Amino acid sequence: MKDTMIIGLTGRFGSGCTETSKFFHNTKGMEYFSISALLKEKAKKKVKDFDKKQPNKKRMILQDLGDELRKKNPENPETVAPIVEEICKRKPKKAVIECFRNPHEIETFQRKFKKHFVLLSIDASHDKRWDRLKDLFKHKDEFGEIEKRDAGDTKNLHGQQVKKCMEMADISVNAEEDFFDCDGTKNGKIIDSYAQRLSDFYDLIENSESRPPYPNEAYMHQACSVALQSRCSKRQVGAVIVRDTYSFKKELDKEKLKGAIGYVIATGCNNVPYEDEDCKKKYPEKCYRAKIKKEFLENNIYCRKCGHKLEKNSKLCVDCGFKNEVFPGKLLSVCRAVHAEEAAIIQAARLGSTSLHGTKLYTSAFPCMLCCKKIIASGIIQVVYLEAYPMEESLAIDMFKTNNVDLKKYEGVTTKSFHRFFKRNL
């Protein structure tokens, strides 16, 4: 299968994987394979009157069936095995697969097709996806229930783990616009815009020398590289602060400067202060937050709600029924590490040579509320973040919007595949 190109798609419910796969099939001549269609065929044979079920019920049946099939053979899940077999048999030049929902499915394709397989993650915010699918559900809670299961539980290795799948992507694509309708004709201008971006990634996959990295790809790659310096035992995060070429060449036409690289002012990763030891070396739990939580729960002998003395080795209050198992407040606030965004801002202050007013910040994770306030106060005007659209940082999102800081979900080649697409054989 020397000249084969296989594009796999992954994304949360309602993000647009179906329409994206149709684009590749209709405009690029790629053969179309659908994991969900395969599951539906199996569900019709197994479940009576499957087609007459409500959309949320159908979805839950498919989720259960997918879990069952993956559990039978984790190394070669039956959710994708027939598709792999069909591709090997027919040997199509180009194929698009919709839609991976478990890391084992992706790993099966990576092992079988190696460099011929490229994974794209398609993403859109929770509100945007609900807006697209609200006619299928009675209320938003139904949608939220399915989405929660779709995102995944790391303890259930055979279940849906879309969030993990998206982290494995070679290319991240944003589908936040109203770019599709059932017949593919709604708002043609935005469809053209989305198609142009998909075509750009298609050309890059087909020919890795079709273009160099765009500036945003280079900056995010640098942020992810800086993250590797973090000694945090829980999570590695990196950030870079950038001043665009436009900022210091205002007299030139922006179109002429399109794609021109500016310069990095400062970098940072989440780390303890320089003179201190990292948590791995200092604490048996390998994390200061874990140590604080453990000590609090061990020493907490009175109910936090009613004050009744707790029974020995039990955190359940027999008087009021309150479970005293959760640390009060956010553990994030007791972390010893300076966050990546904070570290970059502090580095710029230590250098003391430039203002951050009008700059951009690239970060591998969405900023927390603590960092949000510092970003705004420092004069940064745009934040580009890598991870999936956040669902739990609404306060930070609101504060960024109120203070006119532009929030932008990263789109482009991910750092794990940076050299795969941009390395030149000189």
Side-chain angles (χ1 to χ4, degrees), residues 356-386:
L356 297 187
H357 183 73
T359 58
K360 297 180 180 180
L361 184 140
Y362 289 78
T363 174
S364 60
F366 189 84
C368 68
M369 190 63 174
L370 296 171
C371 292
C372 166
K373 292 179 282 188
K374 297 175 180 69
I375 290 167
I376 294 167
S378 67
I380 292 169
I381 60 170
Q382 186 182 76
V383 174
V384 183
Y385 59 95
L386 175 62

Side-chain angles (χ1 to χ4, degrees), residues 64-132:
D64 288 338
L65 182 58
D67 289 5
E68 182 185 319
L69 293 174
R70 283 185 287 265
K71 196 171 183 178
K72 284 182 181 178
N73 187 359
E75 292 304 310
N76 188 23
E78 290 185 33
T79 49
V80 295
I83 295 174
V84 171
E85 188 179 330
E86 188 70 13
I87 291 174
C88 291
K89 181 182 176 182
R90 287 164 50 187
K91 294 182 172 59
K93 290 287 184 183
K94 300 170 184 176
V96 58
I97 320 293
E98 181 226 342
C99 165
F100 292 92
R101 315 201 85 78
N102 181 278
H104 288 307
E105 296 171 343
I106 296 167
E107 288 163 1
T108 299
F109 269 75
Q110 289 173 335
R111 281 196 306 270
K112 189 68 183 176
F113 302 109
K114 297 181 172 62
K115 65 179 181 180
H116 303 292
F117 177 70
V118 177
L119 183 67
L120 272 64
S121 74
I122 314 297
D123 201 13
S125 65
H126 175 83
D127 289 343
K128 179 56 66 178
R129 289 181 289 112
W130 161 248
D131 188 53
R132 292 169 182 168

Side-chain angles (χ1 to χ4, degrees), residues 132-361:
R132 292 169 182 168
L133 300 170
K134 61 187 177 185
D135 293 339
L136 300 177
F137 297 91
K138 292 178 182 177
H139 48 78
K140 203 170 184 178
D141 288 345
E142 283 185 354
F143 174 72
E145 185 181 343
I146 286 176
E147 181 181 61
K148 187 177 180 181
R149 182 172 174 184
D150 224 27
D153 180 356
T154 53
K155 294 177 183 177
N156 180 13
L157 300 178
H158 312 298
Q160 279 75 243
Q161 294 188 46
V162 174
K163 191 172 184 292
K164 180 67 176 175
C165 290
M166 292 172 73
E167 291 170 1
M168 298 170 71
D170 300 293
I171 295 172
S172 176
V173 183
N174 294 339
E176 184 70 0
E177 310 101 324
D178 290 323
F179 66 91
F180 70 86
D181 197 19
C182 293
D183 61 358
T185 59
K186 184 180 178 182
N187 204 338
K189 185 178 180 182
I190 296 181
I191 289 177
D192 290 343
S193 168
Y194 187 65
Q196 188 175 355
R197 285 151 49 209
L198 289 177
S199 293
D200 176 73
F201 290 128
Y202 176 88
D203 293 342
L204 184 64
I205 295 166
E206 193 172 43
N207 175 19
S208 62
E209 295 192 4
S210 63
R211 67 169 176 86
Y214 291 135
N216 72 309
E217 291 172 321
Y219 296 140
M220 188 56 77
H221 177 58
Q222 187 166 349
C224 291
S225 298
V226 171
L228 300 178
Q229 294 179 304
S230 168
R231 292 171 289 163
C232 179
S233 58
K234 295 289 185 183
R235 193 184 194 196
Q236 291 177 300
V237 181
V240 299
I241 300 174
V242 174
R243 188 172 295 284
D244 269 342
T245 311
Y246 313 137
S247 303
F248 57 92
K249 289 193 175 181
K250 292 178 181 177
E251 71 280 3
L252 296 180
D253 184 357
K254 281 191 177 183
E255 280 302 309
K256 292 181 180 178
L257 287 169
K258 192 175 181 180
I261 296 178
Y263 62 98
V264 173
I265 293 173
T267 67
C269 65
N270 56 323
N271 251 339
V272 295
Y274 293 114
E275 299 299 323
D276 208 346
E277 283 188 311
D278 60 87
C279 295
K280 273 186 179 180
K281 294 179 181 177
K282 201 164 185 176
Y283 304 107
E285 295 84 359
K286 297 183 179 180
C287 175
Y288 181 68
R289 287 192 295 171
K291 172 182 176 291
I292 292 294
K293 182 178 180 180
K294 182 181 176 184
E295 288 177 353
F296 173 81
L297 295 176
E298 285 176 350
N299 298 325
N300 184 31
I301 60 173
Y302 294 97
C303 177
R304 297 205 312 274
K305 187 175 181 181
C306 70
H308 187 85
K309 191 169 183 178
L310 300 171
E311 291 184 3
K312 191 175 181 181
N313 299 323
S314 175
K315 296 302 174 186
L316 180 66
C317 179
V318 294
D319 194 50
C320 71
F322 184 75
K323 290 182 179 180
N324 292 266
E325 297 174 336
V326 181
F327 185 84
K330 285 196 172 183
L331 277 167
L332 198 64
S333 60
V334 298
C335 178
R336 295 169 64 241
V338 176
H339 291 192
E341 300 92 331
E342 291 176 313
I345 292 169
I346 291 168
Q347 186 185 86
R350 285 166 71 104
L351 294 171
S353 57
T354 183
S355 164
L356 297 187
H357 183 73
T359 58
K360 297 180 180 180
L361 184 140

